[in-house]
Amino acid sequence: MTDKPLFFATLPYGPSMNMYWRSRVIVPKDYPKRKAFANTYVSEEGIAFQMSVKAIVHAKAFGLKLTGRLAINLLINPPDKRARDLDNLLKPILDALMYAGLYEDDSQFDAIFIRRGQVIKGGSMLVQIIQDNHAPGSVSELF
């Protein structure tokens, strides 16, 4: 993936999936006539992350709307040496970039590469998005 980046930015270290989404059970006043149900929503921390990402995207690429098939490279610089699952950081980043209006839907990504970087005070996430011109399912660059 050596294509020219369509978008490149350093984002703040974001929340993991465990902190991004919250769920609550809603019990109707006329329970048990109507069943209780679960409601899932973006947490306050998740909303703050979305707003930070949106400000950065608008400052760097206001009006840019990426179309077509895309690939994303992520370098995650954690804020400390605690054990962290990189895959738990992926969805909040993709959702925040979509919320910022950078692309229509994260289903546009055909290739996703994520790597752990160095520990940096406060943490950071470097994001590079390129056009993915490879055939669907192609892994020729990996092997």
Side-chain angles (χ1 to χ4, degrees), residues 50-101:
Q50 285 180 341
M51 298 306 288
S52 295
V53 169
K54 185 175 183 177
I56 292 167
V57 169
H58 285 201
K60 292 189 71 74
F62 185 75
L64 177 65
K65 187 73 158 192
L66 301 177
T67 60
R69 308 313 306 164
L70 303 171
I72 188 167
N73 297 312
L74 299 161
L75 179 64
I76 309 297
N77 297 308
D80 55 47
K81 292 183 177 182
R82 285 186 294 162
R84 298 170 189 275
D85 294 341
L86 290 179
D87 60 328
N88 281 340
L89 298 171
L90 181 61
K91 187 65 175 160
I93 297 169
L94 295 178
D95 284 356
L97 290 168
M98 185 177 68
Y99 172 79

Side-chain angles (χ1 to χ4, degrees), residues 3-61:
D3 298 332
K4 183 177 182 252
L6 301 172
F7 178 78
F8 180 82
T10 301
L11 303 179
Y13 190 84
S16 72
M17 285 293 293
N18 301 331
M19 299 301 292
Y20 189 79
W21 294 104
R22 291 283 181 246
S23 294
R24 63 180 166 225
V25 174
I26 298 176
V27 180
K29 290 180 181 179
D30 58 351
Y31 179 82
K33 186 177 181 181
R34 288 193 309 150
K35 293 182 179 181
F37 61 94
N39 181 6
T40 302
Y41 59 97
V42 178
S43 68
E44 287 183 23
E45 185 179 351
I47 290 170
F49 179 65
Q50 285 180 341
M51 298 306 288
S52 295
V53 169
K54 185 175 183 177
I56 292 167
V57 169
H58 285 201
K60 292 189 71 74

